[in-house]
Structures are given as structure tokens and as C-alpha cells.
């Protein structure tokens, strides 16, 4: 069904007896059906796939500044899930605060892939609002977020306020898109 401001909304209920909101397309029954294994096998026989095949195309501005679509493979995303688990300690039950749109390469890498790989939670935040972001960072018990240097600079300018927050759950904050000023890193 079409929702006026967001397009189509699809949702799963907690069980077959727990319907989703009336304005959403209910996908719960799809989970309850036994898959048609013969049909799936026939499809796979005629459409072989490789872990190096592209699974999606994402939008990026690119390091050279020319916007473009970038194809990513299954292996790319598996690699990123492993790197984020190893480098940032993102594991089962992670709580990620997405400070940018989820359709970008950076968001897929920092939020969607770790979320899917670890049965985590993504708290969405866009467009950026510093006051709300700070409340979400503390109140949602976020374990990882990735922010643009300008946002980290804003937080560093109000460091006394940041020091008063309970951020004991926050393990890592990464940054991308531009170099970080040394004043923000220290």
C-alpha cells in the first residue's frame, strides 16, 4: 500500500496472530509458508550465482567528487562485517546510531551490514539534529556510531556537555568523508 509520505511500508508481526499496522503490507505469513524447494532449485540451476556477483549498487560522491553508483558483491559485505567485528568490536546485539541516510555506501558499511551480521539494532537519525543525536547516543545505549568530521567537531566544541553524558556503553566512534582535525582527535 502507498503511504503518503514514505512510499510503501512492509513489516513483520511478532507472530502470525500479531498483525502489523493497517497501513503496512503484512509479510508475516510469508515466514510461515514452507518454501517451494523444487522451484528454488530450478531457479538456482538456471541462474547460478557467485559470492563475487554484485548484490547491490549504492550511491557515493566518490573520492574524486564525481557522484556514481558503486556495485558491491556478497564477498564485499562479508568482508566488511568481519572487519567491523574485529576492528570495532561490533558483535551480537550491537546498537548502532545511524547519523546519515541509509542509502549511502558509508551507511551500508557502518550500519546495515554490521546490523544484519549481528542481529543488532539500528537507531536512525536523519536529518542531523545535534540535540536529538546526543539524547539518542545516551538514551538508546549506542555501542557504535560513525560521524562526519563536522559533527565530531560540533561535539568537541561542547566537550564539557559530552563529558557529563553516560557513554559507558559506547565502544567506538568512527569518522569518514574527510580528514579529522587534530583538535577533534585529541
Amino acid at each position: 500500500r502507498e503511504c503518503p509520505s514514505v512510499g510503501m511500508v512492509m513489516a513483520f508481526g511478532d507472530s502470525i496472530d500479531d498483525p502489523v499496522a493497517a497501513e503496512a503490507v503484512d509479510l508475516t505469513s510469508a515466514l510461515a509458508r514452507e518454501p517451494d524447494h523444487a522451484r528454488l532449485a530450478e531457479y538456482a540451476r538456471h541462474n547460478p550465482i557467485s559470492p563475487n556477483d554484485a548484490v547491490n549498487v549504492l550511491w557515493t560522491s566518490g573520492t574524486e567528487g564525481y557522484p556514481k553508483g558503486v556495485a558491491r558483491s556478497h564477498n564485499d559485505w562479508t568482508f566488511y562485517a568481519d572487519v567491523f567485528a574485529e576492528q570495532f568490536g561490533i558483535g551480537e546485539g550491537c546498537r548502532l546510531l545511524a547519523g546519515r541516510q541509509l542509502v549511502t555506501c558509508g551507511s551500508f558499511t557502518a550500519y546495515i551490514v554490521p546490523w544484519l551480521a549481528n542481529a543488532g539494532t539500528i537507531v536512525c537519525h536523519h536529518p542531523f539534529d545535534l540535540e536529538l543525536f546526543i539524547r539518542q547516543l545516551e538514551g538508546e545505549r549506542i555501542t557504535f556510531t560513525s560521524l562526519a568530521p563536522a559533527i565530531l567537531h560540533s561535539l568537541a566544541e561542547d566537550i564539557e556537555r559530552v563529558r557529563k553524558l553516560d557513554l559507558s556503553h559506547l565502544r567506538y566512534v568512527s569518522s569518514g568523508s574527510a580528514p579529522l582535525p587534530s583538535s577533534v582527535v585529541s
Side-chain angles (χ1 to χ4, degrees), residues 105-172:
C105 284
S107 286
F108 256 72
T109 304
Y111 308 124
I112 294 175
V113 169
W115 164 65
L116 290 172
N118 297 290
T121 298
I122 296 179
V123 177
C124 294
H125 180 99
H126 188 79
F128 190 79
D129 175 294
L130 185 60
E131 294 301 315
L132 177 58
F133 184 84
I134 288 171
R135 288 194 311 271
Q136 287 176 313
L137 192 60
E138 183 178 37
E140 296 286 347
R141 305 197 52 77
I142 300 301
T143 55
F144 174 84
T145 191
S146 180
L147 300 168
I151 296 170
L152 286 172
H153 184 71
S154 294
L155 292 170
E157 285 181 336
D158 198 0
I159 196 65
E160 290 308 313
R161 179 175 180 201
V162 172
R163 287 185 176 138
K164 293 176 185 175
L165 299 173
D166 175 9
L167 299 178
S168 58
H169 47 279
L170 186 62
R171 297 173 88 176
Y172 289 95

Side-chain angles (χ1 to χ4, degrees), residues 8-118:
M8 183 179 289
V9 175
M10 296 181 282
F12 294 99
D14 291 333
S15 71
I16 198 75
D17 298 323
D18 181 28
V20 299
E23 56 276 350
V25 175
D26 189 348
L27 301 175
T28 310
S29 63
L31 292 178
R33 286 194 309 260
E34 181 66 29
D36 183 343
H37 294 289
R39 184 174 170 211
L40 291 171
E42 183 68 13
Y43 179 86
R45 189 171 68 77
H46 291 291
N47 299 283
I49 60 170
S50 157
N52 290 319
D53 288 344
V55 68
N56 62 347
V57 176
L58 296 170
W59 188 256
T60 179
S61 62
T63 54
E64 71 285 340
Y66 295 105
K68 62 186 172 297
V70 176
R72 292 289 187 206
S73 72
H74 301 274
N75 275 338
D76 288 334
W77 295 127
T78 301
F79 170 77
Y80 286 124
D82 292 345
V83 166
F84 270 69
E86 182 180 314
Q87 297 299 313
F88 298 116
I90 295 178
E92 189 173 335
C94 58
R95 297 188 58 79
L96 313 164
L97 180 53
R100 46 181 119 162
Q101 295 174 336
L102 294 179
V103 298
T104 66
C105 284
S107 286
F108 256 72
T109 304
Y111 308 124
I112 294 175
V113 169
W115 164 65
L116 290 172
N118 297 290

